[in-house]
Amino acid sequence: MKTAIYPGSFDPITLGHLDIVRRAADIFDKLIICVMVNAEKNPMFSLEERLELVQRVTKHIPNVEADTSDLLLAEYARKKGANIVVKGLRVVSDYERECQMALINKKINPDLDTFFLPAREQYTYLSSSIVKEMAKYGVALEEFAPQEIIADIMGKVR
Ligand code: ADP
């Protein structure tokens, strides 16, 4: 059984993240989305809220589960018996950062490999920060965030 971990801050989960989740869930037997504690300094949503939003938008995908962790990713993967980390790549700067992370993770846990998926073209500009910025200016979020969580995002900027 191939278990992969998709880590991130997911503050909040976007349509770009969800696209990576769907594609990775098609490839691996099980995908654990891990909302990381340290990933974001001043989050819009608490860790518990971010986890609940992830669970809400992925509950219909049977081989996906969501979790939180304050462990080092390489340690968390070991604990879960997973040896693949999934990352989405949008631009070259993502590649530079993620390659460095992949190498560090492999150094700490030599069994761990990183699997990169290119962002879908229409989501290459999309990030959680962009979603939050758009929300502040009252831009409609339908093309950026899952429908089920738009009211939650707008609720944070009112
Ligand atoms: P963000 O960069 O939006 O704040 P995270 O830190 O939660 O998001 O990112 C977690 C993972 O999701 C990273 O691998 C990141 O590259 C990837 N990711 C973020 N946004 C997208 C997107 N629009 N398309 C594909 N992958 C993405």
Side-chain angles (χ1 to χ4, degrees):
M1 167 132 152
K2 280 272 167 222
T3 301
I5 295 172
Y6 180 35
S9 39
F10 304 108
D11 183 43
I13 187 165
T14 69
L15 287 178
H17 293 132
L18 197 53
D19 179 61
I20 297 290
V21 168
R22 290 204 184 99
R23 288 157 65 196
D26 269 350
I27 296 168
F28 300 105
D29 299 312
K30 181 170 155 187
L31 183 74
I32 303 172
I33 305 172
C34 187
V35 184
M36 306 300 285
V37 171
N38 313 330
E40 188 75 36
K41 287 217 170 63
N42 281 314
M44 173 178 266
F45 293 95
S46 72
L47 187 69
E48 293 71 28
E49 287 172 327
R50 284 182 272 148
L51 174 65
E52 194 276 318
L53 297 179
V54 168
Q55 285 168 332
R56 203 189 302 167
V57 302
T58 58
K59 61 172 187 251
H60 59 284
I61 316 174
N63 61 335
V64 170
E65 63 180 64
D67 193 10
T68 62
S69 172
D70 61 357
L71 294 177
L72 204 57
L73 182 60
E75 295 300 336
Y76 177 78
R78 211 194 305 266
K79 193 179 114 187
K80 287 287 173 179
N83 56 6
I84 301 144
V85 173
V86 169
K87 291 286 182 136
L89 292 181
R90 289 161 292 188
V91 287
V92 175
S93 55
D94 272 355
Y95 177 79
E96 286 178 17
R97 199 190 54 224
E98 297 298 352
C99 240
Q100 186 182 25
M101 288 304 300
L103 292 170
I104 295 167
N105 285 333
K106 196 149 187 70
K107 192 157 184 66
I108 302 169
N109 176 350
D111 295 332
L112 195 58
D113 253 314
T114 303
F115 186 92
F116 294 123
L117 277 167
R120 195 173 290 278
E121 194 183 359
Q122 68 262 40
Y123 300 136
T124 46
Y125 62 86
L126 190 55
S127 68
S128 297
S129 317
I130 291 281
V131 168
K132 288 181 274 192
E133 197 68 13
M134 296 291 178
K136 280 181 199 148
Y137 290 101
V139 176
L141 296 183
E142 276 70 17
E143 284 180 57
F144 311 125
Q147 190 62 49
E148 308 94 293
I149 70 167
I150 289 177
D152 299 73
I153 303 168
M154 296 315 291
K156 290 282 184 183
V157 296
R158 274 194 197 105

